Structures are given as C-alpha cells and as structure tokens.
Short mmCIF file of all heavy atoms in Angstrom, two decimals:
data_model
loop_
_atom_site.label_atom_id
_atom_site.label_comp_id
_atom_site.label_asym_id
_atom_site.label_seq_id
_atom_site.Cartn_x
_atom_site.Cartn_y
_atom_site.Cartn_z
N MET S 1 -9.59 -0.05 10.61
CA MET S 1 -9.38 -0.69 9.33
C MET S 1 -8.26 0.13 8.60
O MET S 1 -7.88 1.17 8.92
CB MET S 1 -10.72 -0.49 8.54
CG MET S 1 -11.88 -1.27 9.16
SD MET S 1 -11.52 -2.96 9.42
CE MET S 1 -11.58 -3.59 7.74
N ALA S 2 -7.78 -0.62 7.53
CA ALA S 2 -6.66 0.00 6.79
C ALA S 2 -6.72 -0.59 5.43
O ALA S 2 -7.35 -1.56 5.05
CB ALA S 2 -5.28 -0.49 7.49
N TYR S 3 -5.91 0.04 4.50
CA TYR S 3 -5.69 -0.59 3.25
C TYR S 3 -4.76 -1.79 3.30
O TYR S 3 -4.01 -1.82 4.20
CB TYR S 3 -5.11 0.50 2.24
CG TYR S 3 -6.12 1.33 1.63
CD1 TYR S 3 -6.99 2.14 2.35
CD2 TYR S 3 -6.18 1.43 0.19
CE1 TYR S 3 -7.99 2.92 1.69
CE2 TYR S 3 -7.13 2.25 -0.39
CZ TYR S 3 -8.07 2.99 0.29
OH TYR S 3 -8.97 3.80 -0.24
N LYS S 4 -4.99 -2.66 2.41
CA LYS S 4 -4.04 -3.80 2.24
C LYS S 4 -3.53 -3.98 0.81
O LYS S 4 -4.36 -3.84 -0.14
CB LYS S 4 -4.77 -5.00 2.78
CG LYS S 4 -3.93 -6.32 2.86
CD LYS S 4 -4.69 -7.40 3.68
CE LYS S 4 -3.69 -8.51 4.10
NZ LYS S 4 -3.72 -9.62 3.36
N ILE S 5 -2.30 -4.39 0.66
CA ILE S 5 -1.82 -4.55 -0.74
C ILE S 5 -1.89 -6.05 -1.14
O ILE S 5 -1.54 -6.87 -0.43
CB ILE S 5 -0.30 -4.15 -0.80
CG1 ILE S 5 -0.24 -2.57 -0.65
CG2 ILE S 5 0.33 -4.53 -2.11
CD1 ILE S 5 1.17 -2.07 -0.48
N SER S 6 -2.58 -6.21 -2.29
CA SER S 6 -2.95 -7.63 -2.78
C SER S 6 -1.73 -8.25 -3.42
O SER S 6 -0.71 -7.59 -3.69
CB SER S 6 -4.06 -7.58 -3.67
OG SER S 6 -3.66 -7.11 -4.98
N VAL S 7 -1.83 -9.56 -3.75
CA VAL S 7 -0.80 -10.28 -4.45
C VAL S 7 -0.55 -9.77 -5.87
O VAL S 7 0.38 -10.16 -6.48
CB VAL S 7 -1.17 -11.79 -4.58
CG1 VAL S 7 -1.24 -12.37 -3.14
CG2 VAL S 7 -2.45 -12.03 -5.20
N ASP S 8 -1.40 -8.76 -6.34
CA ASP S 8 -1.28 -8.26 -7.62
C ASP S 8 -0.07 -7.24 -7.67
O ASP S 8 0.37 -6.89 -8.77
CB ASP S 8 -2.60 -7.50 -8.09
CG ASP S 8 -3.71 -8.49 -8.32
OD1 ASP S 8 -3.39 -9.67 -8.55
OD2 ASP S 8 -4.85 -7.96 -8.31
N CYS S 9 0.44 -6.87 -6.55
CA CYS S 9 1.60 -5.96 -6.47
C CYS S 9 2.73 -6.46 -7.30
O CYS S 9 3.16 -7.53 -7.16
CB CYS S 9 1.98 -5.75 -5.01
SG CYS S 9 3.45 -4.76 -4.75
N ILE S 10 3.28 -5.44 -8.10
CA ILE S 10 4.39 -5.79 -9.04
C ILE S 10 5.69 -5.16 -8.45
O ILE S 10 6.67 -5.02 -9.17
CB ILE S 10 4.19 -5.38 -10.41
CG1 ILE S 10 3.88 -3.83 -10.60
CG2 ILE S 10 2.99 -6.14 -11.05
CD1 ILE S 10 3.77 -3.28 -11.96
N ASN S 11 5.63 -4.64 -7.24
CA ASN S 11 6.83 -4.18 -6.55
C ASN S 11 7.42 -3.01 -7.35
O ASN S 11 8.77 -2.90 -7.29
CB ASN S 11 7.80 -5.31 -6.34
CG ASN S 11 7.41 -6.31 -5.29
OD1 ASN S 11 7.15 -6.04 -4.12
ND2 ASN S 11 7.09 -7.53 -5.91
N CYS S 12 6.66 -2.09 -7.81
CA CYS S 12 7.23 -1.04 -8.47
C CYS S 12 7.64 0.18 -7.61
O CYS S 12 8.34 1.05 -8.04
CB CYS S 12 6.11 -0.36 -9.48
SG CYS S 12 4.74 0.49 -8.62
N ALA S 13 7.26 0.17 -6.42
CA ALA S 13 7.57 1.05 -5.28
C ALA S 13 6.92 2.46 -5.42
O ALA S 13 7.21 3.42 -4.65
CB ALA S 13 9.07 1.25 -5.15
N ALA S 14 6.07 2.66 -6.40
CA ALA S 14 5.45 4.05 -6.57
C ALA S 14 4.63 4.47 -5.37
O ALA S 14 4.63 5.65 -5.06
CB ALA S 14 4.54 3.87 -7.81
N CYS S 15 4.04 3.61 -4.69
CA CYS S 15 3.17 3.96 -3.57
C CYS S 15 4.02 4.46 -2.23
O CYS S 15 3.53 5.18 -1.52
CB CYS S 15 2.26 2.74 -3.11
SG CYS S 15 3.10 1.30 -2.70
N GLU S 16 5.17 3.79 -2.15
CA GLU S 16 5.91 3.95 -0.92
C GLU S 16 6.11 5.44 -0.51
O GLU S 16 5.85 5.84 0.59
CB GLU S 16 7.29 3.29 -0.97
CG GLU S 16 8.02 3.24 0.33
CD GLU S 16 9.27 2.50 0.30
OE1 GLU S 16 9.79 2.15 -0.87
OE2 GLU S 16 9.75 2.14 1.30
N ALA S 17 6.56 6.26 -1.48
CA ALA S 17 6.83 7.67 -1.26
C ALA S 17 5.56 8.50 -1.16
O ALA S 17 5.59 9.56 -0.64
CB ALA S 17 7.71 8.19 -2.34
N GLU S 18 4.44 7.99 -1.59
CA GLU S 18 3.24 8.74 -1.60
C GLU S 18 2.48 8.74 -0.23
O GLU S 18 1.60 9.47 0.08
CB GLU S 18 2.30 8.20 -2.63
CG GLU S 18 2.77 8.40 -4.05
CD GLU S 18 3.03 9.87 -4.41
OE1 GLU S 18 2.25 10.76 -3.96
OE2 GLU S 18 4.02 10.22 -5.01
N CYS S 19 2.81 7.70 0.57
CA CYS S 19 2.07 7.54 1.89
C CYS S 19 2.47 8.55 2.83
O CYS S 19 3.66 8.60 3.32
CB CYS S 19 2.35 6.10 2.47
SG CYS S 19 1.48 5.87 3.99
N PRO S 20 1.59 9.44 3.29
CA PRO S 20 1.87 10.49 4.30
C PRO S 20 2.17 9.99 5.67
O PRO S 20 2.76 10.65 6.50
CB PRO S 20 0.59 11.38 4.28
CG PRO S 20 -0.49 10.44 3.88
CD PRO S 20 0.12 9.44 2.95
N GLU S 21 1.89 8.65 5.93
CA GLU S 21 2.11 8.05 7.24
C GLU S 21 3.33 7.21 7.21
O GLU S 21 3.52 6.54 8.26
CB GLU S 21 0.88 7.23 7.62
CG GLU S 21 -0.49 7.97 7.57
CD GLU S 21 -0.54 9.28 8.43
OE1 GLU S 21 0.14 9.29 9.34
OE2 GLU S 21 -1.31 10.17 8.04
N THR S 22 4.03 7.11 6.17
CA THR S 22 5.19 6.12 5.93
C THR S 22 4.71 4.77 6.38
O THR S 22 5.58 4.09 7.17
CB THR S 22 6.44 6.63 6.64
OG1 THR S 22 6.27 6.89 8.02
CG2 THR S 22 6.86 7.97 6.04
N ALA S 23 3.55 4.42 5.99
CA ALA S 23 3.10 3.05 6.45
C ALA S 23 3.57 1.88 5.40
O ALA S 23 3.25 0.75 5.75
CB ALA S 23 1.59 3.10 6.50
N ILE S 24 4.15 2.25 4.33
CA ILE S 24 4.32 1.25 3.23
C ILE S 24 5.84 0.96 3.19
O ILE S 24 6.68 1.85 3.28
CB ILE S 24 3.81 1.81 1.88
CG1 ILE S 24 2.36 2.11 1.92
CG2 ILE S 24 4.09 0.77 0.84
CD1 ILE S 24 1.83 2.78 0.68
N SER S 25 6.08 -0.38 3.19
CA SER S 25 7.48 -0.75 3.08
C SER S 25 7.57 -1.96 2.10
O SER S 25 6.59 -2.70 1.85
CB SER S 25 8.07 -0.96 4.41
OG SER S 25 7.39 -2.05 5.00
N GLN S 26 8.72 -2.41 1.77
CA GLN S 26 8.99 -3.51 0.92
C GLN S 26 8.88 -4.79 1.84
O GLN S 26 9.58 -4.85 2.88
CB GLN S 26 10.37 -3.53 0.34
CG GLN S 26 10.80 -4.82 -0.37
CD GLN S 26 10.24 -4.98 -1.80
OE1 GLN S 26 10.65 -4.25 -2.66
NE2 GLN S 26 9.34 -5.86 -1.95
N GLY S 27 7.97 -5.71 1.46
CA GLY S 27 7.93 -6.95 2.20
C GLY S 27 8.61 -8.06 1.57
O GLY S 27 9.47 -7.91 0.63
N ASP S 28 8.33 -9.30 1.90
CA ASP S 28 9.05 -10.51 1.39
C ASP S 28 8.79 -10.65 -0.17
O ASP S 28 9.67 -10.90 -0.91
CB ASP S 28 8.65 -11.81 2.16
CG ASP S 28 9.23 -11.72 3.49
OD1 ASP S 28 10.27 -11.05 3.74
OD2 ASP S 28 8.65 -12.46 4.43
N THR S 29 7.49 -10.54 -0.49
CA THR S 29 7.09 -10.78 -1.81
C THR S 29 6.30 -9.58 -2.51
O THR S 29 6.42 -9.56 -3.77
CB THR S 29 6.14 -12.03 -2.06
OG1 THR S 29 4.99 -11.80 -1.16
CG2 THR S 29 6.89 -13.31 -1.54
N THR S 30 5.72 -8.73 -1.71
CA THR S 30 5.12 -7.48 -2.27
C THR S 30 5.42 -6.42 -1.26
O THR S 30 5.95 -6.64 -0.17
CB THR S 30 3.61 -7.65 -2.28
OG1 THR S 30 3.12 -7.77 -0.90
CG2 THR S 30 3.22 -8.97 -3.21
N PHE S 31 4.99 -5.19 -1.65
CA PHE S 31 5.08 -4.08 -0.68
C PHE S 31 3.98 -4.31 0.28
O PHE S 31 2.90 -4.95 -0.02
CB PHE S 31 4.93 -2.71 -1.42
CG PHE S 31 6.28 -2.23 -1.81
CD1 PHE S 31 7.03 -2.93 -2.85
CD2 PHE S 31 6.82 -1.08 -1.27
CE1 PHE S 31 8.17 -2.47 -3.36
CE2 PHE S 31 8.11 -0.59 -1.67
CZ PHE S 31 8.79 -1.30 -2.74
N VAL S 32 4.15 -3.75 1.51
CA VAL S 32 3.10 -4.07 2.62
C VAL S 32 2.78 -2.86 3.26
O VAL S 32 3.55 -1.82 3.31
CB VAL S 32 3.59 -5.10 3.57
CG1 VAL S 32 3.78 -6.49 3.00
CG2 VAL S 32 5.04 -4.66 4.21
N ILE S 33 1.58 -2.81 3.90
CA ILE S 33 1.08 -1.65 4.65
C ILE S 33 0.99 -2.01 6.11
O ILE S 33 0.39 -3.04 6.50
CB ILE S 33 -0.28 -1.16 4.11
CG1 ILE S 33 -0.19 -0.59 2.72
CG2 ILE S 33 -0.89 -0.15 5.00
CD1 ILE S 33 -1.49 -0.37 1.96
N ASP S 34 1.54 -1.13 7.00
CA ASP S 34 1.38 -1.34 8.42
C ASP S 34 -0.07 -0.85 8.90
O ASP S 34 -0.31 0.36 8.71
CB ASP S 34 2.51 -0.56 9.15
CG ASP S 34 2.39 -0.71 10.62
OD1 ASP S 34 1.35 -1.20 11.16
OD2 ASP S 34 3.36 -0.56 11.38
N PRO S 35 -0.95 -1.71 9.17
CA PRO S 35 -2.24 -1.35 9.47
C PRO S 35 -2.43 -0.35 10.63
O PRO S 35 -3.39 0.29 10.74
CB PRO S 35 -3.00 -2.65 9.69
CG PRO S 35 -1.97 -3.62 10.11
CD PRO S 35 -0.73 -3.18 9.35
N LYS S 36 -1.41 -0.36 11.56
CA LYS S 36 -1.45 0.48 12.63
C LYS S 36 -1.18 1.99 12.23
O LYS S 36 -1.52 2.88 13.04
CB LYS S 36 -0.39 0.06 13.74
CG LYS S 36 -0.64 -1.28 14.30
CD LYS S 36 0.24 -1.68 15.53
CE LYS S 36 1.72 -1.65 15.06
NZ LYS S 36 2.03 -2.78 14.20
N LEU S 37 -0.61 2.16 11.10
CA LEU S 37 -0.27 3.51 10.67
C LEU S 37 -1.18 4.09 9.63
O LEU S 37 -1.27 5.26 9.44
CB LEU S 37 1.22 3.55 10.14
CG LEU S 37 2.34 3.18 11.08
CD1 LEU S 37 3.69 3.17 10.34
CD2 LEU S 37 2.40 4.21 12.20
N CYS S 38 -1.81 3.16 8.77
CA CYS S 38 -2.63 3.62 7.65
C CYS S 38 -3.90 4.29 8.15
O CYS S 38 -4.60 3.82 9.06
CB CYS S 38 -3.10 2.31 6.86
SG CYS S 38 -4.12 2.72 5.50
N THR S 39 -4.12 5.41 7.50
CA THR S 39 -5.31 6.26 7.82
C THR S 39 -6.37 6.16 6.70
O THR S 39 -7.29 6.95 6.70
CB THR S 39 -4.96 7.74 8.09
OG1 THR S 39 -4.28 8.18 6.83
CG2 THR S 39 -3.98 7.82 9.13
N GLU S 40 -6.10 5.26 5.80
CA GLU S 40 -7.12 5.03 4.74
C GLU S 40 -7.27 6.26 3.79
O GLU S 40 -8.39 6.50 3.32
CB GLU S 40 -8.50 4.60 5.18
CG GLU S 40 -8.49 3.30 5.96
CD GLU S 40 -9.81 2.75 6.27
OE1 GLU S 40 -10.52 3.30 7.04
OE2 GLU S 40 -10.26 1.67 5.62
N CYS S 41 -6.19 7.01 3.52
CA CYS S 41 -6.30 8.24 2.73
C CYS S 41 -6.42 7.90 1.25
O CYS S 41 -6.92 8.74 0.51
CB CYS S 41 -5.06 9.04 2.94
SG CYS S 41 -3.61 8.41 2.19
N GLY S 42 -6.00 6.75 0.82
CA GLY S 42 -6.13 6.22 -0.55
C GLY S 42 -5.05 6.72 -1.47
O GLY S 42 -5.13 6.45 -2.67
N ALA S 43 -4.01 7.44 -1.01
CA ALA S 43 -2.96 7.96 -1.91
C ALA S 43 -2.23 6.83 -2.63
O ALA S 43 -1.86 6.99 -3.71
CB ALA S 43 -2.02 8.81 -1.08
N CYS S 44 -2.04 5.74 -1.86
CA CYS S 44 -1.33 4.62 -2.46
C CYS S 44 -2.08 4.04 -3.64
O CYS S 44 -1.55 3.72 -4.73
CB CYS S 44 -1.01 3.56 -1.46
SG CYS S 44 -2.50 3.05 -0.46
N ALA S 45 -3.40 3.90 -3.45
CA ALA S 45 -4.28 3.29 -4.54
C ALA S 45 -4.34 4.23 -5.74
O ALA S 45 -4.39 3.76 -6.89
CB ALA S 45 -5.64 3.10 -3.98
N ASP S 46 -4.18 5.51 -5.50
CA ASP S 46 -4.27 6.50 -6.55
C ASP S 46 -3.06 6.36 -7.54
O ASP S 46 -3.19 6.54 -8.76
CB ASP S 46 -4.29 7.94 -6.07
CG ASP S 46 -5.60 8.28 -5.44
OD1 ASP S 46 -6.59 7.54 -5.68
OD2 ASP S 46 -5.74 9.29 -4.72
N VAL S 47 -1.85 5.96 -7.05
CA VAL S 47 -0.77 5.85 -7.89
C VAL S 47 -0.38 4.46 -8.36
O VAL S 47 0.40 4.32 -9.16
CB VAL S 47 0.56 6.43 -7.18
CG1 VAL S 47 0.33 7.94 -6.81
CG2 VAL S 47 0.96 5.67 -5.92
N CYS S 48 -1.02 3.48 -7.79
CA CYS S 48 -0.75 2.11 -8.13
C CYS S 48 -1.16 1.69 -9.45
O CYS S 48 -2.40 1.88 -9.90
CB CYS S 48 -1.34 1.17 -7.07
SG CYS S 48 -0.93 -0.56 -7.42
N PRO S 49 -0.33 1.22 -10.35
CA PRO S 49 -0.65 0.85 -11.71
C PRO S 49 -1.57 -0.44 -11.83
O PRO S 49 -2.14 -0.64 -12.85
CB PRO S 49 0.64 0.60 -12.38
CG PRO S 49 1.56 0.19 -11.31
CD PRO S 49 1.18 1.01 -10.05
N VAL S 50 -1.59 -1.19 -10.69
CA VAL S 50 -2.40 -2.49 -10.78
C VAL S 50 -3.48 -2.52 -9.77
O VAL S 50 -4.03 -3.57 -9.44
CB VAL S 50 -1.39 -3.66 -10.69
CG1 VAL S 50 -0.57 -3.75 -11.88
CG2 VAL S 50 -0.65 -3.66 -9.44
N ASP S 51 -3.78 -1.36 -9.06
CA ASP S 51 -4.89 -1.37 -8.09
C ASP S 51 -4.79 -2.34 -6.97
O ASP S 51 -5.60 -2.95 -6.50
CB ASP S 51 -6.28 -1.53 -8.81
CG ASP S 51 -6.66 -0.38 -9.63
OD1 ASP S 51 -6.23 0.74 -9.29
OD2 ASP S 51 -7.39 -0.64 -10.59
N ALA S 52 -3.44 -2.57 -6.57
CA ALA S 52 -3.22 -3.50 -5.55
C ALA S 52 -3.64 -3.09 -4.14
O ALA S 52 -4.19 -3.94 -3.38
CB ALA S 52 -1.70 -3.91 -5.54
N PRO S 53 -3.49 -1.85 -3.76
CA PRO S 53 -3.91 -1.35 -2.39
C PRO S 53 -5.41 -1.30 -2.41
O PRO S 53 -6.02 -0.57 -3.20
CB PRO S 53 -3.28 -0.04 -2.20
CG PRO S 53 -2.28 0.14 -3.23
CD PRO S 53 -2.74 -0.67 -4.38
N GLN S 54 -6.06 -2.06 -1.54
CA GLN S 54 -7.52 -2.02 -1.43
C GLN S 54 -7.95 -1.88 0.04
O GLN S 54 -7.30 -2.37 1.03
CB GLN S 54 -8.10 -3.40 -1.92
CG GLN S 54 -7.78 -3.72 -3.31
CD GLN S 54 -8.61 -2.89 -4.32
OE1 GLN S 54 -9.81 -2.45 -3.95
NE2 GLN S 54 -8.19 -2.74 -5.55
N PRO S 55 -9.09 -1.10 0.27
CA PRO S 55 -9.57 -0.88 1.62
C PRO S 55 -10.18 -2.19 2.10
O PRO S 55 -10.67 -3.00 1.25
CB PRO S 55 -10.67 0.15 1.50
CG PRO S 55 -11.10 0.11 0.06
CD PRO S 55 -9.86 -0.32 -0.75
N GLN S 56 -9.83 -2.62 3.34
CA GLN S 56 -10.32 -3.87 3.89
C GLN S 56 -11.71 -3.64 4.65
O GLN S 56 -11.86 -2.71 5.26
CB GLN S 56 -9.29 -4.53 4.76
CG GLN S 56 -7.90 -4.82 3.93
CD GLN S 56 -8.24 -5.78 2.86
OE1 GLN S 56 -8.60 -6.97 3.10
NE2 GLN S 56 -8.16 -5.39 1.61
FE1 LIG W 1 -0.63 5.25 3.35
FE2 LIG W 1 -2.92 6.36 2.73
FE3 LIG W 1 -2.24 4.09 1.50
FE4 LIG W 1 -2.92 4.07 4.13
S1 LIG W 1 -4.28 4.53 2.35
S2 LIG W 1 -1.08 3.03 3.17
S3 LIG W 1 -2.13 6.07 4.75
S4 LIG W 1 -1.17 6.08 1.42
FE1 LIG W 2 2.92 -2.62 -5.44
FE2 LIG W 2 1.12 -0.86 -6.44
FE3 LIG W 2 2.74 -0.14 -4.56
FE4 LIG W 2 3.63 -0.55 -6.94
S1 LIG W 2 2.22 1.08 -6.40
S2 LIG W 2 4.68 -1.22 -4.98
S3 LIG W 2 2.44 -2.30 -7.64
S4 LIG W 2 1.17 -1.61 -4.30
#
C-alpha cells in the first residue's frame, strides 16, 4: 500500500521535497506519488495544506 494524492491537490509542491523516498513528482493535473517507492511515512500529508495525500 501507499499514499495517494487526491484531486484536492493545489500543486503547491510543498510535499515534493519532504518525501525521503523521492516518490513525489508533478503529474498532469496534480502532484503524484509512485506507489512502488512510497513507504507510508506520512511526511507529505504533514506538510500538505489541503490534506491531499491519503493512505489507501
Ligand atoms: Fe513519500 Fe512518505 Fe508521502 Fe510516501 S508517505 S509519498 S514515502 S512522504
Ligand atoms: Fe499537492 Fe498537497 Fe503536495 Fe501541495 S503539498 S503539491 S497541495 S499534495
């Protein structure tokens, strides 16, 4: 399992630098998480202003 960024993402990029696994990148409409790299640490959710990253 991994975290997933919802459609609520406002593309602020705050989470990208916080991910210790560099699993987060800019996608077509929102930032996205590579589920193969995510370790569910929750660091992205901690910095997100709109609670877009959610555990699946
Ligand atoms: Fe990266 Fe942790 Fe967020 Fe997974 S939960 S995308 S490892 S910051
Ligand atoms: Fe999107 Fe939240 Fe990441 Fe900002 S911190 S890019 S709103 S998921």
Side-chain angles (χ1 to χ4, degrees):
M1 299 303 287
Y3 273 58
K4 186 167 194 256
I5 293 175
S6 78
V7 295
D8 292 338
C9 173
I10 57 172
N11 295 293
C12 74
C15 58
E16 186 175 20
E18 296 301 319
C19 179
E21 310 300 333
T22 59
I24 302 174
S25 60
Q26 172 83 70
D28 290 338
T29 57
T30 65
F31 275 67
V32 293
I33 294 171
D34 183 339
K36 297 187 298 294
L37 297 176
C38 178
T39 58
E40 299 190 292
C41 72
C44 52
D46 287 345
V47 299
C48 181
V50 294
D51 288 332
Q54 298 285 338
Q56 297 299 295

